[in-house]
Amino acid sequence: MSQICDDCPANSSNCNNLYCTSAEGSTRGTIIANRQLPGPSIQVCQNDILVVDIINKIPGHSLTVHWRGQPNHEAPFMDGVPMVTQCPISGYTTFQYKFRASSPGTHFYHAHSDADRTDGFFGALIVRQANKVEPHGKLYDVDSKEHIVLLSEWSGDLSTGIVNEDDLTKAIMINGKSPEVSGHSLSVFNVEKDKRYRFRVAYTAGSVGCPVAISVDSHLLKIIALDGNPINPYEVSSAELTKGERLDFVLKTNQKIGAYFLRAKSTCNENELNGLSMISYDGFSGANIENKIVLEENFRKFDTSLCNSKIGKVCLGDVRSLNKIPSNLRKFEPAYFCINMYHDNVCYFSGSLKDVRSKIYRINNFTFTYPPSPLLTQPNDVPLNLMCNELNTPDKCVGQSVCECVHLEYIALGTTTEIILIDQGMYMQNSVYCLFQVGSFERISLLYKHQVPENY
Ligand SMILES: [Cu+2]
């Protein structure tokens, strides 16, 4: 809760001050854009040139901003990945992002590192198309900047020494507000009765990334787009998103005049987290808050994970895109990447919590470390002996379980590569190494056989 919130939640008008970041009510540092949580929403038309100056006023802390959903083919150096596409923006310097918003739909921007994003640096990036070409334009009456829903996990302050990442998530926020601060400061979406509204939802931030299910009491959601891409619409009672995903739905305001909760429910590390906001019909007097989820049990859920579809569920495999797959993506070479988390057998203890330092993530047995210069713009400044891949293991790594290096895989210009990620879970010291093979599906089953169960 920032200082400007004054006596929020006791005085609810203070909670609604534009610059009051109430979050879930506890005191912690934030990194936010323009003193707002979420940051200002950016609304543009397709192919507009977006110019954003990032003035970094954080002493001794550098960052970059990633524009999620924008391919940036014309200006890859504007993608916002530190030490890969650009140098990070140092404290007290300014960097100008300038690129074409080529990909329409619901997107968002965020500070690139997980920690900065979890500290609050994110905001909506909505790219609209002309009515003539918007494929679902006939399915709704209103597409307003008032109906943007940014979901985020809110955590303890990473800088205060909390050591177990599994214990971090405290609340699910909707547009930077959480019911923990009391119902006064919930986000409210105003609607008129008997209209169809396009709601644009993005799950922007979180240290853990637990799936979140959204629903609106007594209403169905007609899902029309995923990650900015139009799909054949599905009508569901709730829909699940994970970190980074976007989803557009149409809400028909066909219930009696009242206020209905828009819920964001998550089970995160066995904690029940309930994000709340309010959909308020015009003419609602404030007396009768509808508070029933009649549809939850007897209607389908939309699950964007790879589930088995059965009655009551729409799974990712059922989703049909309105756009045909581009012809250049039909022929591809597969490349397999094995991801695992290495446990070095040494447990650090801090109180009763296991220290996160004992877990090391690896891809193809390499742990990525950042190069001293951006790979895209200054590749020649990166010493060759820091780089690694399957064909080139640095001398320092021979015989070592953990190899930190600038992991670089080469792909020929103009080719299409299908990247297959294999999650191998947790590995212990001396356990089987990830076998990296290209082009054989038999190898995949072999890899799965080598998977070490999580509850070793
Ligand atoms: Cu992103």
Side-chain angles (χ1 to χ4, degrees):
M1 182 115 61
S2 54
Q3 254 180 356
I4 206 165
C5 300
D6 205 9
D7 57 350
C8 162
N11 179 350
S12 61
S13 64
N14 284 343
C15 305
N16 295 328
N17 182 316
L18 177 64
Y19 296 115
C20 164
T21 54
S22 59
E24 45 63 80
S26 62
T27 308
R28 92 198 266 303
T30 55
I31 291 180
I32 53 180
N34 294 9
R35 300 179 71 198
Q36 294 169 44
L37 179 70
S41 83
I42 299 176
Q43 316 265 327
V44 293
C45 297
Q46 186 180 20
N47 290 325
D48 278 355
I49 303 292
L50 202 59
V51 181
V52 181
D53 287 342
I54 302 291
I55 305 160
N56 181 359
K57 289 190 172 174
I58 319 165
H61 185 99
S62 59
L63 51 73
T64 57
V65 179
H66 174 58
W67 311 91
R68 197 168 184 87
Q70 295 307 312
N72 257 326
H73 290 311
E74 290 169 296
F77 40 87
M78 290 292 163
D79 198 43
V81 187
M83 286 309 188
V84 176
T85 62
Q86 69 171 102
C87 288
I89 308 161
S90 312
Y92 296 102
T93 65
T94 299
F95 183 85
Q96 184 171 84
Y97 286 98
K98 191 173 180 184
F99 60 93
R100 186 189 307 276
S102 62
S103 173
T106 301
H107 305 295
F108 66 96
Y109 62 88
H110 59 84
H112 194 271
S113 84
D114 240 359
D116 292 348
R117 191 162 56 215
T118 307
D119 282 344
F121 196 112
F122 56 82
L125 169 58
I126 310 298
V127 183
R128 290 194 174 79
Q129 285 177 294
N131 286 343
K132 268 191 209 160
V133 285
E134 165 57 56
H136 284 318
K138 291 205 167 68
L139 296 182
Y140 50 86
D141 309 302
V142 183
D143 174 15
S144 151
K145 63 176 195 259
E146 310 299 327
H147 301 115
I148 293 167
V149 183
L150 296 189
L151 307 171
S152 53
E153 273 179 15
W154 194 240
S155 320
D157 196 339
L158 294 168
S159 61
T160 56
I162 293 171
V163 287
N164 192 332
E165 60 184 326
D166 300 333
D167 287 314
L168 290 174
T169 303
K170 294 161 83 175
I172 300 291
M173 300 198 300
I174 298 179
N175 291 349
K177 291 177 176 175
S178 155
E180 311 296 322
V181 191
S182 92
H184 293 287
S185 60
L186 294 185
S187 302
V188 178
F189 303 98
N190 292 308
V191 293
E192 279 175 45
K193 190 170 158 52
D194 293 325
K195 282 202 165 154
R196 299 166 305 165
Y197 290 84
R198 179 174 188 158
F199 276 76
R200 296 169 175 275
V201 187
Y203 185 179
T204 54
S207 55
V208 183
C210 295
V212 170
I214 54 158
S215 61
V216 178
D217 291 354
S218 305
H219 293 73
L220 293 178
L221 320 177
K222 185 181 269 183
I223 313 290
I224 58 168
L226 291 180
D227 293 343
N229 302 297
I231 59 164
N232 271 337
Y234 290 94
E235 209 156 56
V236 293
S237 54
S238 73
E240 198 169 88
L241 290 97
T242 49
K243 190 165 77 172
E245 289 180 334
R246 290 87 72 204
L247 177 154
D248 293 34
F249 70 85
V250 174
L251 184 87
K252 248 187 186 168
T253 49
N254 55 4
Q255 297 299 306
K256 63 175 196 249
I257 287 178
Y260 301 84
F261 283 123
L262 187 160
R263 297 170 191 272
K265 261 178 82 171
S266 179
T267 306
C268 206
N269 307 313
E270 288 153 36
N271 292 327
E272 279 282 310
L273 299 173
N274 289 292
L276 273 187
S277 61
M278 194 85 85
I279 301 222
S280 178
Y281 279 47
D282 268 12
F284 165 59
S285 64
N288 57 328
I289 294 176
E290 301 296 326
N291 190 3
K292 48 183 193 270
I293 326 173
V294 292
L295 300 163
E296 181 87 12
E297 299 310 321
N298 56 16
F299 205 77
R300 320 192 261 186
K301 295 174 181 177
F302 194 100
D303 191 335
T304 53
S305 65
L306 281 171
C307 56
N308 286 320
S309 52
K310 45 185 190 253
I311 299 165
K313 237 175 184 186
V314 179
C315 296
L316 200 55
D318 307 321
V319 174
R320 291 289 167 266
S321 169
L322 280 197
N323 300 328
K324 284 203 178 114
I325 185 165
S327 58
N328 63 339
L329 291 185
R330 287 193 195 137
K331 243 179 120 187
F332 49 78
E333 288 292 322
Y336 300 108
F337 289 87
C338 304
I339 304 168
N340 60 54
M341 193 157 53
Y342 178 77
H343 208 297
D344 67 3
N345 243 354
V346 182
C347 294
Y348 305 92
F349 285 92
S350 171
S352 60
L353 302 176
K354 202 189 285 174
D355 196 305
V356 290
R357 279 176 298 174
S358 57
K359 294 173 187 168
I360 297 158
Y361 291 95
R362 306 188 302 191
I363 293 181
N364 293 349
N365 293 326
F366 296 116
T367 299
F368 183 81
T369 187
Y370 283 95
S373 301
L375 287 167
L376 182 74
T377 51
Q378 290 162 248
N380 296 336
D381 292 343
V382 183
L384 280 174
N385 62 1
L386 297 183
M387 311 226 221
C388 61
N389 55 40
E390 294 305 306
L391 304 171
N392 172 26
T393 304
D395 290 346
K396 64 168 185 174
C397 294
V398 177
Q400 302 296 315
S401 313
V402 175
C403 180
E404 272 196 349
C405 48
V406 183
H407 184 178
L408 202 62
E409 296 286 341
Y410 293 90
I411 291 170
L413 185 67
T415 55
T416 303
T417 303
E418 182 186 41
I419 293 175
I420 300 165
L421 303 176
I422 301 160
D423 183 354
Q424 299 189 301
M426 179 105 66
Y427 267 51
M428 279 185 73
Q429 198 169 25
N430 304 325
S431 67
V432 185
Y433 269 57
C434 165
L435 299 174
F436 178 75
Q437 294 289 338
V438 173
S440 158
F441 281 95
E442 281 145 50
R443 288 292 179 186
I444 295 256
S445 55
L446 186 69
L447 292 164
Y448 273 113
K449 273 184 212 150
H450 283 281
Q451 190 167 340
V452 177
E454 255 194 45
N455 55 347
Y456 61 87

